[in-house]
Amino acid sequence: MPGRTDGLITLGAADALWVDLTADSAVPTASGAFTGSPAHARVGYVLLGGHVVATVRASGGQWSVSEFEVRRAAAELNAVGMDRQDLVRVGPFRGAPSKECNEETRLRWHRRITRDLLQELGGPERAARREAGRPYHLAGIDWRQVLVEQARDGAQRTWWLPRAVVRLLDAAEHAETQWVQAERTRRAGAAVTEPPSHPRRARDAGGRQTTSPEGPTPPLRPYGRELEGQLYSVLSRKPGTSRRVAGWACAVCRTAPATVLDHCHEHGYVRAPVCQSCNTQERPDHLYSNDIRVANRYTRLFHTDTDHWLRHWHRCPGCRARTTLPLPHLAAWTAHIACRSLRPTHPAPRGRKPCGVLRVSWTGSQNAPRSCLLTVAVDFCPSGEHRVLARVPYREAAERFRAWLAETAPAVSAAAGPDRLDGLPAQFRPVIADTSGEDLELF
């Protein structure tokens, strides 16, 4: 390729190679992955998906990258599948970004997306950027091609990205953090700093020399119940908590880096550190004050990965003692599992299709079980019908769940109940407000 010397290619050639190699990827990529903002070659690396590619000065002072590393990053991205219907909300949330992002700060993709989109709401800024031809990418991913804007009843718009893209951006942010930490450690401990024009090189299986950062990336450690029984309101205010969380692997999927502390909003206890994707996996498409729409992702929560999620939810001592789920989760389970046989079907090209979309609402509160009633209904019926399928008292729904739990996840059921828990809280905490996002108070 043009500009290639000893396994290295110029940034311009790397841009072209990246676009060519990822042309058929499910995740859209950008043309300015190496030369367009926020890529900044002079800091020593460029992010491609969840991969860090080191940059070096080649002969003539040109910044270059290893062709092999670009190809490897492209192969990893091409292997990622993406469901455009499986969305994760990325903003806006309460409050503005706490810090303005410039072109040389680290990824912090949530802040960058929020900043760019909030600036565009004014109108002229957006037009100016289009005229300037500014690329819209993060870690080589053209996130604007898959950004979804939603508005409900004329309220403020919300922004959503496919879960696969969120996972990639989370992985990129984590890889960048580890790379920077390893580089700082190397510089602090090295007796003689190697000049940037002579980077350390390793040989791949084909014998080619590749540039790589000093030292391996520290592996993520599995979560071992270190935070069990602690209150989120206390732990979240302790200095260094976020840095400690970043060192764990997600306690649910066990592969992605953890980014947040998931906690029970009914009892206030920390469940475990989880990645951004798993943190939103349990949430429905819509959550109102007492009304949720049961999303397709509940098939995974209550069928495919049931055991993992039930164990995760029962990390909360309050839920484990009561052998139940938080109210929105129990409502979704009631609609998706307990009332599944009641849902009507309609003729479809390949057999019959379940009617419309399930929705469940409730009156009263889980803190007063006698007054709490769950109502399961069907929206968007193809024949124009909107019918109520069932009205289930809270206590009946909880009893059904306990019986189902004993059959589906016997180990989780055996560990639940007040007689199997030491240090049972004297009284259950009321629902607490969540300041991380709008309309998510019950999670």
Side-chain angles (χ1 to χ4, degrees):
M1 296 187 65
R4 176 175 174 175
T5 58
D6 193 23
L8 301 178
I9 56 176
T10 63
L11 298 183
D15 274 340
L17 179 62
W18 173 249
V19 172
D20 181 60
L21 293 176
T22 59
D24 297 325
S25 172
V27 180
T29 55
S31 58
F34 293 87
T35 56
S37 172
H40 194 67
R42 289 189 294 276
V43 299
Y45 64 92
V46 171
L47 293 173
L48 294 181
H51 196 72
V52 175
V53 177
T55 58
V56 296
R57 277 192 185 276
S59 57
Q62 279 189 314
W63 285 96
S64 305
V65 294
S66 165
E67 178 185 348
F68 171 75
E69 292 296 321
V70 177
R71 291 183 178 276
R72 185 168 73 167
E76 291 178 1
L77 187 75
N78 290 337
V80 174
M82 182 178 68
D83 181 0
R84 287 178 177 259
Q85 304 302 317
D86 186 11
L87 300 176
V88 174
R89 182 176 173 180
V90 298
F93 296 120
R94 288 192 180 98
S98 58
K99 180 181 177 182
E100 190 71 16
C101 297
N102 58 52
E103 304 306 329
E104 299 187 23
T105 57
R106 280 152 52 188
L107 182 61
R108 295 185 177 90
W109 65 270
H110 267 116
R111 293 180 181 177
R112 288 188 178 274
I113 288 178
T114 302
R115 178 201 63 179
D116 287 351
L117 293 177
L118 286 176
Q119 286 180 348
E120 290 180 5
L121 292 179
E125 182 74 16
R126 185 171 191 174
R129 288 189 181 181
R130 284 182 174 175
E131 291 176 2
R134 176 178 176 178
Y136 298 108
H137 83 91
L138 290 173
I141 298 170
D142 190 352
W143 54 273
R144 288 184 177 273
Q145 286 193 33
V146 289
L147 181 74
V148 175
E149 292 190 9
Q150 296 180 358
R152 188 185 71 212
D153 301 331
Q156 183 183 27
R157 291 184 177 182
T158 55
W159 307 316
W160 305 71
L161 285 176
R163 188 173 303 278
V165 173
V166 171
R167 282 186 178 275
L168 282 171
L169 294 177
D170 279 345
E173 192 166 322
H174 176 75
E176 181 181 36
T177 300
Q178 298 298 320
W179 194 95
V180 171
Q181 290 176 352
E183 187 68 9
R184 286 175 180 172
T185 302
R186 182 188 69 82
R187 290 178 179 178
V192 178
T193 304
E194 196 174 19
S197 58
H198 297 83
R200 185 178 72 87
R201 291 173 182 169
R203 292 186 178 273
D204 63 13
R208 292 174 294 184
Q209 288 185 329
T210 62
T211 305
S212 62
E214 286 288 336
T217 300
L220 296 169
R221 66 181 186 276
Y223 176 68
R225 302 171 62 180
E226 291 89 342
L227 307 178
E228 185 175 8
Q230 298 194 42
L231 291 174
Y232 177 79
S233 59
V234 175
L235 190 61
S236 61
R237 290 177 172 83
K238 289 185 177 180
T241 296
S242 58
R243 183 168 58 253
R244 186 182 179 190
V245 168
W248 272 305
C250 174
V252 178
C253 67
R254 301 179 184 178
T255 56
T259 57
V260 296
L261 278 180
D262 185 36
H263 61 287
C264 176
H265 290 233
E266 285 191 7
H267 306 110
Y269 290 102
V270 171
R271 292 189 185 120
V274 298
C275 65
Q276 181 69 22
S277 178
C278 288
N279 190 43
T280 60
Q281 183 74 53
E282 59 182 314
R283 293 171 179 167
D285 285 340
H286 302 280
L287 173 61
Y288 308 101
S289 58
N290 64 337
D291 194 348
I292 64 172
R293 185 165 294 156
V294 183
N296 292 333
R297 70 191 64 164
Y298 278 105
T299 300
R300 174 179 295 178
L301 300 183
F302 297 133
H303 292 281
T304 312
D305 301 328
T306 307
D307 191 70
H308 292 311
W309 281 104
L310 290 172
R311 288 180 186 275
H312 177 67
W313 285 324
H314 273 206
R315 287 186 172 109
C316 167
C319 292
R320 190 164 69 245
R322 298 171 64 193
T323 319
T324 187
L325 297 176
L327 179 55
H329 300 74
L330 182 64
W333 177 87
T334 302
H336 192 73
I337 300 294
C339 297
R340 178 169 47 191
S341 61
L342 302 177
R343 188 176 182 182
T345 59
H346 294 277
R350 298 180 181 178
R352 299 185 68 85
K353 182 179 179 181
C355 175
V357 178
L358 286 178
R359 179 172 52 86
V360 56
S361 58
W362 56 86
T363 56
S365 167
Q366 75 281 3
N367 296 318
R370 291 184 179 180
S371 65
C372 189
L373 181 68
L374 309 181
T375 301
V376 182
V378 173
D379 285 345
F380 310 121
C381 174
S383 62
E385 300 179 13
H386 298 272
R387 66 177 67 183
V388 173
L389 300 183
R391 291 185 174 90
V392 184
Y394 178 88
R395 285 185 169 179
E396 180 182 340
E399 288 298 327
R400 289 187 185 182
F401 172 76
R402 292 187 185 105
W404 176 83
L405 180 67
E407 297 178 0
T408 307
V412 179
S413 178
D419 57 330
R420 299 176 178 85
L421 183 68
D422 296 330
L424 178 66
Q427 60 181 5
F428 299 117
R429 296 167 59 86
V431 175
I432 60 175
D434 176 21
T435 58
S436 64
E438 295 178 358
D439 300 333
L440 301 176
E441 288 79 3
L442 291 174
F443 283 85

